[in-house]
């Protein structure tokens, strides 16, 4: 069994950050619901457990199973969990505070802090601890305890911020996993590929394996893994929803044939999607309807090909962590009990899937493809979706994309696209909102594109796309980069 660390944290973004940080250092880590009973946690045989809370109140550990503390499994408590645990063992914790400016951080001589810098640090929130007998100081801020180690239990507690792109917090997590828990750093691309291929072979011992591909990295990686696992028993299909960008359906099928040596069958479902989306305005409802219609289309494939025994889906761990489960409705189809659902990358984060794409030698057009919503351009049209609106947005988006690429700016951008809205100044006319984002710590910021690029894109859209009467640029930052990646 793969050595692993489990993470218990209510904040899914923080849980994902901790797990991704460890996995980047080749330590397998998996977030679990915060209220997971100790019996279930221990049944997974983890090498260690990280318990984190970004809240500093007395309820920071509400729902936590305290019996886990006496299991002799190494535990690292972070953030607001530390004060609650200090009180649990008979100590005291002051009110949460945020130091003005930096504090002098003192770290004990312990394997947990190997290659972690002490000295001046900025702590965004911590409480001073009064340690009872049995707890020894592990870290101090301005010579006051902010962390402890238990004398008899393998329990470490530390109020230290885990932040994106912070080498010290990454080293701290690695030290806990490797030095304290004894985890081996074996979570690499080769082991992931072997595990995923075995998963497909186990799920599909016989019959045809159906894999729906969209051009995205998740489905492409799954198709490649399924090809390695079952060979010519794989059947790939591309479902044209009518919600793709300009020339995208043809491009996807061509890339799969020429670069992956996989034949992809074309399924025209444009009418079904447009009909189902008629009258739908809210983004959430568009996503729900698109997912429902996709399920219906895939299930219909079972009636056309009775040899299909397994359906491969490209669900990744970001989807399940943030409550999205594309395969859930498909898995519940009662009229297809003999068909199994396989999700080869459902325990991989998006960045891991991209690294896997590179290891599998997938072309850059797939490996680095921008995030694209399941409901496609429907989500980038404000209000109801019509064929006319799709045509306008598709053309405007193509103009913007061409100008970005012509200037060589696409390589530094995380995402760029156009959205379509009604023009409030001209009834019956439409406005296009251009958006380009660069990744930053904790989110994504609007890119400072050269003005001449925006000017050329604006001129082309107003000239080439009849019906567009206004073009604007969106400067709003996004908080979703970490969730998607």
């Amino acid at each position: 069994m793969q050595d692993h660390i489990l993470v218990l944290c209510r904040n899914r973004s923080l849980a994902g950050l901790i797990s991704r940080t460890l996995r980047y250092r080749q330590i397998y880590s998996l977030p679990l619901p915060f209220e997971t009973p100790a019996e279930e946690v221990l049944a997974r045989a983890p090498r260690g457990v990280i318990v984190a809370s970004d809240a500093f109140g007395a309820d920071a550990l509400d729902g936590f199973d305290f019996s886990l503390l006496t299991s002799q499994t190494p535990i690292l408590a972070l953030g607001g969990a530390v004060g609650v645990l200090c009180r649990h063992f008979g100590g005291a914790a002051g009110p949460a505070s945020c130091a003005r400016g930096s504090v002098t951080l003192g770290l004990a001589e312990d394997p947990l802090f190997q290659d972690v810098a002490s000295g001046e640090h900025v702590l965004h929130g911590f409480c001073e601890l009064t340690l009872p007998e049995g707890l020894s100081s592990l870290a101090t801020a301005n010579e006051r305890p902010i962390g402890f180690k238990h004398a008899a239990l393998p329990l470490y507690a530390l109020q230290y911020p885990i932040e994106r792109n912070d080498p010290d917090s990454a080293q701290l997590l690695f030290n806990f996993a490797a030095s304290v828990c004894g985890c081996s750093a074996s979570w690499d691309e080769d082991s992931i590929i072997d595990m995923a291929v075995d998963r497909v072979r186990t799920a599909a011992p016989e019959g045809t394996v159906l894999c729906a591909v969209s051009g995205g990295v998740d489905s492409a990686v799954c198709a490649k893994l399924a090809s390695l696992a079952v060979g010519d028993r794989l059947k790939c299909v591309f479902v044209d929803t009518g919600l793709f960008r300009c020339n995208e359906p043809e491009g996807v099928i061509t890339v799969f044939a020429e670069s992956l040596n996989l034949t992809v069958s074309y399924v025209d479902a444009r009418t079904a999607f447009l009909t189902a989306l008629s009258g739908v305005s809210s983004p959430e409802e568009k996503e729900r309807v698109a997912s429902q219609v996709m399920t219906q289309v895939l299930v219909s494939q079972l009636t056309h090909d009775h040899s299909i025994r397994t359906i491969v889906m490209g669900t990744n761990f970001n989807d399940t962590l943030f409550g999205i489960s594309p395969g859930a409705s498909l898995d519940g189809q009662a009229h297809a009990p003999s068909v199994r659902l396989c999700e080869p990358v459902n325990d991989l984060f998006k960045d891991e899937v991209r690294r896997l794409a590179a290891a599998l030698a997938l072309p850059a057009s797939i490996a680095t493809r921008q995030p694209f919503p399941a409901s496609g351009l429907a989500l980038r049209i404000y209000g109801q979706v019509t064929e006319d609106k799709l045509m306008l947005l598709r053309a405007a988006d193509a103009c913007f994309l061409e100008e970005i690429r012509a200037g060589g700016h696409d390589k530094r951008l995380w995402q760029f696209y156009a959205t379509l809205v009604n023009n409030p100044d001209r009834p019956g006319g439409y406005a296009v909102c251009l958006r380009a984002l660069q990744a930053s710590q904790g989110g994504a910021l609007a890119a400072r594109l050269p003005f001449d690029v925006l000017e050329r894109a604006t001129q082309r859209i107003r000239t080439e796309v009849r019906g567009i009467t206004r073009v604007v640029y969106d400067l709003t930052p996004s908080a979703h980069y970490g969730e998607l990646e």
Side-chain angles (χ1 to χ4, degrees):
M1 179 184 291
Q2 180 83 39
D3 287 352
H4 62 283
I5 300 293
L6 297 180
V7 179
L8 302 179
C9 180
R10 285 197 193 90
N11 185 322
R12 292 177 294 182
S13 293
L14 177 58
L17 175 60
I18 292 171
S19 289
R20 286 198 306 273
T21 301
L22 282 170
R23 292 191 189 192
Y24 188 77
R25 300 289 292 269
Q26 298 186 343
I27 301 288
Y28 182 58
S29 175
L30 182 69
L32 290 182
F34 189 76
E35 298 81 7
T36 303
E39 182 179 3
E40 184 178 334
V41 172
L42 297 175
R44 294 173 175 266
R47 286 281 191 164
V49 177
I50 295 175
V51 181
S53 176
D54 57 352
F56 281 84
D59 60 348
L61 286 183
D62 281 2
F64 174 70
D65 190 341
F66 280 81
S67 67
L68 189 63
L69 300 176
T70 57
S71 66
Q72 295 301 316
T73 299
I75 295 174
L76 173 63
L78 297 170
V82 178
V84 177
L85 289 177
C86 184
R87 288 190 288 268
H88 174 76
F89 288 106
S97 63
C98 184
R100 295 182 178 179
S102 61
V103 297
T104 301
L105 185 66
L107 303 176
E109 288 289 333
D110 193 280
L112 185 66
F113 299 125
Q114 182 179 349
D115 297 326
V116 177
S118 57
E120 297 299 304
H121 277 259
V122 175
L123 300 182
H124 303 297
F126 64 94
C127 57
E128 293 183 1
L129 308 175
T130 302
L131 302 180
E133 185 177 351
L135 301 185
S136 59
S137 179
L138 193 62
T140 61
N142 294 339
E143 301 184 350
R144 296 293 299 168
I146 61 167
F148 62 82
K149 182 178 179 180
H150 197 283
L153 301 174
L155 171 63
Y156 298 75
L158 183 66
Q159 297 174 84
Y160 192 97
I162 304 301
E163 298 177 336
R164 188 187 306 276
N165 300 324
D166 175 22
D168 281 336
S169 59
Q171 185 65 41
L172 175 74
L173 294 175
F174 178 78
N175 288 343
F176 173 71
S179 300
V180 175
C181 301
C183 279
S184 60
S186 58
W187 184 248
D188 56 19
E189 282 77 5
D190 289 339
S191 63
I192 296 172
I193 291 172
D194 290 342
M195 180 192 69
V197 169
D198 286 343
R199 182 177 295 176
V200 177
R201 285 176 179 156
T202 301
E206 37 77 30
T208 299
V209 177
L210 179 68
C211 182
V213 298
S214 63
V217 66
D218 299 317
S219 62
V221 165
C222 286
K224 184 64 176 180
L225 292 170
S227 175
L228 294 173
V230 302
D232 58 8
R233 288 197 287 123
L234 175 65
K235 176 183 179 181
C236 294
V237 297
F238 177 89
V239 179
D240 189 350
T241 63
L243 307 174
F244 287 96
R245 291 163 289 201
C246 187
N247 300 323
E248 201 162 24
E250 301 86 349
V252 170
I253 293 174
T254 300
V255 167
F256 268 76
E258 296 180 353
S259 299
L260 278 71
N261 198 28
L262 293 175
T263 301
V264 178
S265 300
Y266 175 85
V267 177
D268 187 352
R270 290 175 294 180
T271 301
F273 275 83
L274 197 59
T275 300
L277 287 167
S278 178
V280 178
S281 297
S282 76
E284 296 78 13
E285 188 67 7
K286 288 176 182 177
E287 289 282 273
R288 187 193 68 78
V289 169
S291 176
Q292 186 178 58
V293 177
M294 180 61 75
T295 297
Q296 293 169 355
V297 172
L298 292 179
V299 169
S300 71
Q301 294 294 305
L302 306 181
T303 62
H304 298 144
D305 187 347
H306 296 288
S307 69
I308 296 174
R309 291 291 178 268
T310 308
I311 296 180
V312 171
M313 297 287 288
T315 312
N316 65 51
F317 195 69
N318 291 69
D319 297 329
T320 56
L321 183 62
F322 293 98
I324 306 168
S325 183
S329 56
L330 186 64
D331 196 28
Q333 292 295 321
H335 60 277
S338 62
V339 176
R340 294 173 291 271
L341 177 66
C342 179
E343 297 172 312
V345 298
N346 70 341
D347 55 0
L348 302 183
F349 287 100
K350 191 75 170 188
D351 58 335
E352 292 177 300
V353 179
R354 292 193 188 280
R355 293 204 301 271
L356 207 59
L360 291 167
L362 299 189
S365 61
I366 290 177
T368 61
R369 184 189 191 230
Q370 297 179 38
F372 193 61
S375 58
L377 295 181
L379 201 64
R380 294 175 180 172
I381 293 175
Y382 283 77
Q384 299 184 27
V385 180
T386 66
E387 183 60 42
D388 287 342
K389 289 182 179 180
L390 286 167
M391 291 175 62
L392 290 174
L393 178 56
R394 198 173 284 120
D397 189 74
C399 290
F400 187 42
L401 182 148
E402 290 169 9
E403 292 302 325
I404 290 285
R405 288 181 174 170
H409 303 289
D410 54 312
K411 296 177 179 60
R412 67 182 181 90
L413 297 175
W414 168 58
Q415 196 176 27
F416 52 94
Y417 57 89
T419 58
L420 188 72
V421 300
N422 291 325
N423 186 352
D425 297 334
R426 185 172 299 182
Y430 296 103
V432 162
C433 179
L434 305 180
R435 188 150 168 77
L437 297 166
Q438 284 182 293
S440 68
Q441 184 168 328
L445 300 177
R448 297 185 177 184
L449 293 177
F451 189 78
D452 61 315
V453 173
L454 295 173
E455 194 172 41
R456 283 196 302 271
T458 299
Q459 183 177 9
R460 283 193 56 188
I461 290 170
R462 296 188 64 210
T463 302
E464 300 176 22
V465 188
R466 297 187 60 183
I468 304 297
T469 53
R470 181 184 289 270
V471 179
V472 298
Y473 185 59
D474 187 354
L475 292 172
T476 312
S478 171
H480 299 296
Y481 170 74
E483 297 181 6
L484 290 168
E485 291 297 301

